[in-house]
Amino acid sequence: MSSPRYTPPKDLSAYAWLSIGAAVLTISLKGVAAWLTGSVGLLSDAAESLVNLVAAVVALVVLRISIKPADDDHHFGHSKAEYFSAVVEGVMIFVAAVFIILTAVQRIISPSMPEQLGVGLLISLVASAVNGVVAWVLYRRGTAEGSTALVADAKHLSTDVLTSAAVLLGVALVAVFRYPVLDAVVALGAGLNIMWVGFTLMRDSVSGLMDIAPSQESLARIRAVLVRHQREGVTDFHAVRVREAGNRRFAELHVLVPGSWSVKKGHDYTEALIDELVAVDPDLRVSAHLEPIEDPKSYEDQTDV
């Protein structure tokens, strides 16, 4: 049974549904724009939106899994599932980038002039605005809740917006200068940029799976609580370790108190300390080991963050 000191994780799947809805709408809009114009840039933009849909569905599944409580097979819960969403998104971005680059190279070799550029630009602009708003909502909520899946989805959508901006620029240049290869050149640059974003998403996800330490801000809040409780020669702390796990953080520390204290007094002191740590970081899960401050054996493991 979970302790009442820890609040259960929030269900953020509604935001994944928002992303799915945005992806379906933008696929439709950009697909129509690409069909009307014959622009390889707009076609590549529509292809990335299709990837967005797949990634959003994966994010929905992962967000539902990540909030499941601990069970017999997963004693620390399922919060790390969010990293798998970010990895999948990174791979999907790579797939979209390869498609965009190959299509752009083919169009550079055999350029053709897009048609009905005005209508295509207008439709693509509306689709980009939809993605921009949704990306902002997802990133804001993802950073506030510490959700790796939502932040990854937001970054994915933001790359879509950047790609769309580049594509719109390319199509506009074609309309002005009547030089069709510009459309493909801009699409090629957008594909390379998308590939870089996919790489950074996968890199960050692997770091999370390797139990990366949280941000310096999170560590500073923990240190501030410990400093307030330190009393020279009376109480101290060491072997303080903190790791990220999706929307949760886990901390371990050794609490050193006078050996003359009763078990109850040491326990009460430690419980009060944990309550303070959770108060400054509600997503923190704390495991504390009580030790006598006078015992030399207590100092055999002093590695701190």
Side-chain angles (χ1 to χ4, degrees):
M1 183 178 296
S2 61
S3 167
R5 115 180 343 135
Y6 298 126
T7 57
K10 295 179 181 178
D11 184 357
L12 302 175
S13 58
Y15 293 92
W17 280 111
L18 175 64
S19 183
I20 290 172
V24 171
L25 178 59
T26 54
I27 287 170
S28 303
L29 291 172
K30 291 179 181 180
V32 169
W35 176 69
L36 288 174
T37 62
S39 164
V40 66
L42 291 177
L43 176 63
S44 66
D45 208 10
E48 190 184 359
S49 293
L50 183 61
V51 174
N52 290 347
L53 176 59
V54 176
V57 172
V58 172
L60 173 64
V61 174
V62 166
L63 284 169
R64 296 305 299 268
I65 293 174
S66 69
I67 62 174
K68 291 173 65 177
D71 54 32
D72 291 340
D73 296 322
H74 306 88
H75 295 181
F76 290 90
H78 300 76
S79 58
K80 275 193 175 183
E82 291 203 31
Y83 293 120
F84 292 101
S85 174
V87 168
V88 170
E89 295 222 23
V91 171
M92 295 303 295
I93 288 175
F94 255 95
V95 171
V98 170
F99 174 80
I100 292 169
I101 291 170
L102 291 177
T103 307
V105 170
Q106 181 182 6
R107 191 57 64 93
I108 289 174
I109 296 172
S110 304
S112 63
M113 181 65 68
E115 302 174 356
Q116 301 187 59
L117 292 177
V119 176
L121 286 171
L122 180 61
I123 294 174
S124 187
L125 189 61
V126 171
S128 298
V130 171
N131 274 339
V133 171
V134 174
W136 178 78
V137 171
L138 295 184
Y139 186 80
R140 220 179 143 188
R141 179 52 57 186
T143 52
E145 301 295 343
S147 172
T148 304
L150 283 187
V151 170
D153 208 12
K155 287 183 178 180
H156 194 165
L157 287 177
S158 67
T159 64
D160 198 334
V161 174
L162 291 174
T163 303
S164 297
V167 167
L168 290 172
L169 175 62
V171 174
L173 290 173
V174 171
V176 173
F177 296 104
R178 311 302 296 174
Y179 189 51
V181 77
L182 290 174
D183 178 37
V185 169
V186 171
L188 179 61
L192 293 173
N193 176 67
I194 293 168
M195 187 170 284
W196 171 252
V197 173
F199 167 76
T200 58
L201 269 179
M202 288 188 286
R203 178 195 62 194
D204 294 345
S205 299
V206 170
S207 295
L209 291 170
M210 293 294 291
D211 288 339
I212 192 171
S215 66
Q216 289 301 315
E217 291 79 6
S218 295
L219 293 176
R221 289 194 296 267
I222 293 171
R223 291 192 185 105
V225 172
L226 299 182
V227 167
R228 286 201 303 269
H229 279 267
Q230 278 180 318
R231 294 170 55 195
E232 188 172 354
V234 180
T235 56
D236 202 357
F237 311 94
H238 65 226
V240 181
R241 304 182 182 93
V242 189
R243 63 183 176 89
E244 288 265 353
N247 54 22
R248 287 288 174 264
R249 282 169 290 284
F250 294 88
E252 298 178 3
L253 72 156
H254 292 190
V255 181
L256 293 95
V257 300
S260 59
W261 281 15
S262 68
V263 173
K264 184 178 187 317
K265 184 173 181 178
H267 176 263
D268 290 345
Y269 174 82
T270 304
E271 290 297 304
L273 172 69
I274 293 175
D275 284 338
E276 284 195 41
L277 290 170
V278 174
V280 300
D281 187 350
D283 294 324
L284 188 68
R285 302 294 187 260
V286 184
S287 176
H289 176 58
L290 195 63
E291 298 180 312
I293 198 169
E294 310 90 347
D295 189 349
K297 258 187 105 57
S298 300
Y299 299 89
E300 291 181 356
D301 184 0
Q302 299 188 64
T303 305
D304 289 347
V305 296

